[in-house]
């Protein structure tokens, strides 16, 4: 792939993501796997796709000062202007003249000389006049919305939960590139061994900042390494690694992972169990169950059992008090992983959150019947929305007097996060440790219940 075509590939991907309402990381992964790209081109393509989506509202605010109307433009013109402006504003290493040249060439190819001239004119106007300031926006919610490229309703929702200052920090942190992290499979290797093996492959990685078994890439792709292929590591965010620790699993335990795909937490539990006991993994879709089984095989785990099942009806398939530990990593809005899935900001709705909360409560209620007395149930999400997190837990505890928050959870957590633990609940925000935003609550079933 010639370097000049990277921008056109990014444009095609952005159009596909918008039209299909698809996840950017899946579209990008599929494209990279299909085409033979150099590491440099992969880096630029990834930057352009993620960056343009992350900053879409900010870019549109800037462009609105240079566009009279957009109603008669072809659907690719505004995305092309966004990609071009993103490079001009946020990527210092690419000269403006190169950006303008590429934009005009793409416009000629896709449209006609008039469109090419229009694109050239808009971008040259931006060059000449400069960007309109955002600080002049009087409404603080609107200002944060444009500054962080987040829909105003979401800024308002989060500011009611966290305050304006903290909300701005959360949303600004989500604009930074995600760090690729991995969990070392201690059944096969230790952290120093893995780091050395990666060095020998030309990959620069360092020890993680939260979890003992975590590493992160400074340069190179961990998922393409021999260490990954050989089952020494699993790609997983550090905040997500704390979930298995919250469960406090012991060798020989029978554990239920009620919403398991793609299997990162399930396999982590299997590793902590030292290949003893059993981890029963449930998901709605057969192809996702196959993903879990594939991961377990790669990691050398014989204690992971995956089944297709709707977790809302799990009590119909297992007798009460079957499991020592239960994990409900519930489907959620995903507002903690906007770094990795930036389109979430624009596709989620208030109504959608209410529907999710209903499902979260159903799964939690159904799974709770299967826990042994004195067992631990962990409820986790990759969102920062308090109604999906604290709200769901509060509602569950009101309806289930046989459960209580497990205030010993802090003993199992890294020292860095202890200050953010309240009772048996932990909310990690994206700007704390440059990780995903994540919520973890540990509940204990009372003895005699």
């Amino acid at each position: 792939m010639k370097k000049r075509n990277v921008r056109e590939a990014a444009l095609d991907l952005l159009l596909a993501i918008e039209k299909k309402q698809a996840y950017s990381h899946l579209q990008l992964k599929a494209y990279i796997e299909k085409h033979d790209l150099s590491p440099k081109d992969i880096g630029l393509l990834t930057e352009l796709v993620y960056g343009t989506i992350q900053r879409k509202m900010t870019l549109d605010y800037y462009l609105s000062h240079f566009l009279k109307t957009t109603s008669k433009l072809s659907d690719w013109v505004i995305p092309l202007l966004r990609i071009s402006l993103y490079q001009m504003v946020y990527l210092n290493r690419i000269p403006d003249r190169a950006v303008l040249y590429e934009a005009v060439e793409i416009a000629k190819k896709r449209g006609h000389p008039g469109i090419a001239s229009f694109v050239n004119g808009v971008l040259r106007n931006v060059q000449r006049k400069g960007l309109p300031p955002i600080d002049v926006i009087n409404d603080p919610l609107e200002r944060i919305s444009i500054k962080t490229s987040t829909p105003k309703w979401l800024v308002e929702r989060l500011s009611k939960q966290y305050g304006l200052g903290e909300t701005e920090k959360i949303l600004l942190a989500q604009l930074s590139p995600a760090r690729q992290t991995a969990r070392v499979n201690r059944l096969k290797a230790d952290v120093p061994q893995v780091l050395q093996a990666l060095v020998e492959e030309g990959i620069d990685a360092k020890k993680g900042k939260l979890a003992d078994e975590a590493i992160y890439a400074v340069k190179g792709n961990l998922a393409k390494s021999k260490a990954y292929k050989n089952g020494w590591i699993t790609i997983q965010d550090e905040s997500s690694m704390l979930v298995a620790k919250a469960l406090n699993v012991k060798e020989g335990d029978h554990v239920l992972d009620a919403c398991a795909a793609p299997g990162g937490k399930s396999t982590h539990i299997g590793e902590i169990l030292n290949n003893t006991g059993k981890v029963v993994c449930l998901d709605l879709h057969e192809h996702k169950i196959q993903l879990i089984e594939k991961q377990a095989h790669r990691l050398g785990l014989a204690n992971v059992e995956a089944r297709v099942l709707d977790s809302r009806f799990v009590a119909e398939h297992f007798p009460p008090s079957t499991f020592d530990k239960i994990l409900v990593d519930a489907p959620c809005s995903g507002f903690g992983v906007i770094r990795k899935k930036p389109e979430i900001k624009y596709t989620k709705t208030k109504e959608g959150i209410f529907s999710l909360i209903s499902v979260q409560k159903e799964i939690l209620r159904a799974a709770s019947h299967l826990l042994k007395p004195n067992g631990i149930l962990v409820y986790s999400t990759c969102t920062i929305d308090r109604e999906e997190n604290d709200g769901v837990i509060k509602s569950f505890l009101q309806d289930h007097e046989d459960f209580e928050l497990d205030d010993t959870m802090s003993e199992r957590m890294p020292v860095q996060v202890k200050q953010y633990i309240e009772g048996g609940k932990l909310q990690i925000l994206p700007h704390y440790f440059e990780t995903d935003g994540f919520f973890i609550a540990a509940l204990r079933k009372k003895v005699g219940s």
Side-chain angles (χ1 to χ4, degrees):
M1 182 183 195
K2 293 178 183 177
K3 186 181 175 185
R4 62 177 292 172
N5 293 328
V6 173
R7 279 88 173 171
E8 194 160 10
L11 179 58
D12 287 334
L13 282 166
L14 288 172
L15 290 168
I17 290 161
E18 204 158 302
K19 285 176 183 175
K20 297 177 188 174
Q21 296 280 287
Y23 281 133
S24 53
H25 70 295
L26 296 179
Q27 292 286 312
L28 193 58
K29 183 172 181 278
Y31 188 92
I32 290 168
E33 286 175 355
K34 188 177 176 182
H35 296 81
D36 183 26
L37 307 182
S38 70
K40 193 174 181 182
D41 281 346
I42 289 172
L44 179 57
L45 183 63
T46 303
E47 174 78 55
L48 292 180
V49 171
Y50 279 144
T52 304
I53 297 172
Q54 282 283 32
R55 305 272 187 175
K56 184 172 78 168
M57 288 176 62
T58 312
L59 294 168
D60 285 352
Y61 171 79
Y62 291 148
L63 286 170
S64 67
H65 290 73
F66 301 94
L67 298 171
K68 291 178 181 176
T69 179
T70 60
S71 59
K72 295 179 182 179
L73 296 174
S74 299
D75 63 355
W76 54 267
V77 177
I78 296 299
L80 175 60
L81 287 170
R82 285 181 191 140
I83 290 173
S84 305
L85 188 56
Y86 176 77
Q87 294 171 84
M88 292 167 68
V89 177
Y90 300 105
L91 299 186
N92 297 331
R93 66 185 181 273
I94 300 175
D96 284 2
R97 65 179 182 280
V99 175
L100 265 70
Y101 174 78
E102 294 285 359
V104 170
E105 289 300 302
I106 292 170
K108 283 179 187 174
K109 186 176 175 182
R110 295 202 174 214
H112 51 76
I115 289 289
S117 177
F118 169 79
V119 167
N120 185 55
V122 170
L123 296 175
R124 288 202 178 279
N125 259 341
V126 173
Q127 260 190 322
R128 190 168 61 252
K129 296 180 180 178
L131 298 172
I134 293 172
D135 292 343
V136 297
I137 300 172
N138 290 323
D139 178 359
L141 293 174
E142 182 73 19
R143 185 168 62 248
I144 293 171
S145 170
I146 297 301
K147 185 177 180 180
T148 65
S149 193
T150 308
K152 190 175 177 180
W153 74 266
L154 182 52
V155 177
E156 185 174 14
R157 183 179 179 89
L158 292 176
S159 65
K160 284 177 180 174
Q161 296 176 2
Y162 292 99
L164 272 175
E166 194 75 350
T167 295
E168 186 169 0
K169 287 178 189 175
I170 290 167
L171 297 174
L172 284 173
Q174 300 265 43
L175 293 173
S176 61
R179 187 169 58 206
Q180 189 188 40
T181 57
R183 182 187 80 240
V184 172
N185 178 7
R186 287 177 163 173
L187 298 179
K188 293 196 172 194
D190 59 26
V191 170
Q193 250 181 299
V194 171
L195 291 175
Q196 182 56 40
L198 291 169
V199 166
E200 290 166 13
E201 286 191 66
I203 296 172
D204 184 9
K206 295 190 182 299
K207 193 178 183 311
K209 298 183 178 181
L210 289 182
D212 292 338
E213 58 272 65
I215 61 171
Y216 66 94
V218 177
K219 183 182 179 184
N221 188 345
L222 298 174
K224 298 291 184 184
S225 67
K226 289 177 189 172
Y228 180 87
K229 186 181 177 183
N230 295 334
W232 288 21
I233 59 173
T234 295
I235 305 303
Q236 187 182 14
D237 191 80
E238 277 202 74
S239 56
S240 170
M241 294 179 207
L242 302 184
V243 172
K245 295 182 188 299
L247 268 175
N248 198 28
V249 292
K250 307 292 184 186
E251 288 194 15
D253 276 354
H254 279 224
V255 183
L256 174 68
D257 187 347
C259 312
K265 299 176 192 70
S266 307
T267 53
H268 192 194
I269 294 165
E271 289 166 16
I272 294 172
L273 284 170
N274 199 24
N275 234 342
T276 67
K278 186 183 282 187
V279 188
V280 178
C281 311
L282 308 180
D283 195 84
L284 274 171
H285 306 288
E286 175 63 40
H287 72 280
K288 290 188 176 180
I289 290 299
Q290 289 171 7
L291 272 179
I292 297 169
E293 291 172 339
K294 188 177 176 183
Q295 288 281 18
H297 177 73
R298 183 179 63 83
L299 296 166
L301 293 169
N303 60 348
V304 173
E305 177 190 309
R307 303 189 194 181
V308 178
L309 190 64
D310 186 333
S311 294
R312 290 173 294 180
F313 309 109
V314 71
E316 299 171 14
H317 297 266
F318 299 94
S321 303
T322 297
F323 297 98
D324 300 289
K325 309 285 163 58
I326 293 176
L327 170 59
V328 175
D329 186 50
C332 67
S333 60
F335 291 140
V337 295
I338 289 172
R339 268 194 191 101
K340 294 170 183 167
K341 300 174 184 177
E343 60 284 338
I344 282 173
K345 293 191 283 191
Y346 316 117
T347 56
K348 299 293 180 181
T349 62
K350 289 179 192 176
E351 295 73 29
I353 293 174
F354 295 141
S355 299
L356 282 167
I357 290 170
S358 174
V359 173
Q360 290 157 357
K361 288 178 178 178
E362 278 187 79
I363 295 172
L364 194 52
R365 187 163 53 241
S368 68
H369 296 295
L370 308 184
L371 188 65
K372 292 177 182 178
N374 206 38
I376 291 174
L377 186 157
V378 165
Y379 173 82
S380 63
T381 71
C382 60
T383 190
I384 53 176
D385 185 83
R386 282 193 161 153
E387 284 190 38
E388 295 179 75
N389 295 336
D390 294 281
V392 168
I393 293 301
K394 184 180 179 182
S395 173
F396 176 80
L397 290 174
Q398 283 173 347
D399 295 339
H400 296 79
E401 293 183 356
D402 53 337
F403 277 83
E404 62 188 354
L405 282 164
D406 175 25
D407 57 10
T408 69
M409 183 181 81
S410 63
E411 296 169 12
R412 307 187 287 276
M413 291 290 113
V415 66
Q416 303 97 308
V417 305
K418 288 182 187 288
Q419 62 180 307
Y420 303 114
I421 296 173
E422 186 182 330
K425 297 181 293 183
L426 167 63
Q427 177 72 73
I428 295 177
L429 297 179
H431 59 287
Y432 288 171
F433 307 106
E434 297 177 83
T435 65
D436 291 343
F438 224 90
F439 177 78
I440 302 169
L443 306 170
R444 186 181 296 277
K445 191 171 189 178
K446 297 174 185 175
V447 178
S449 301

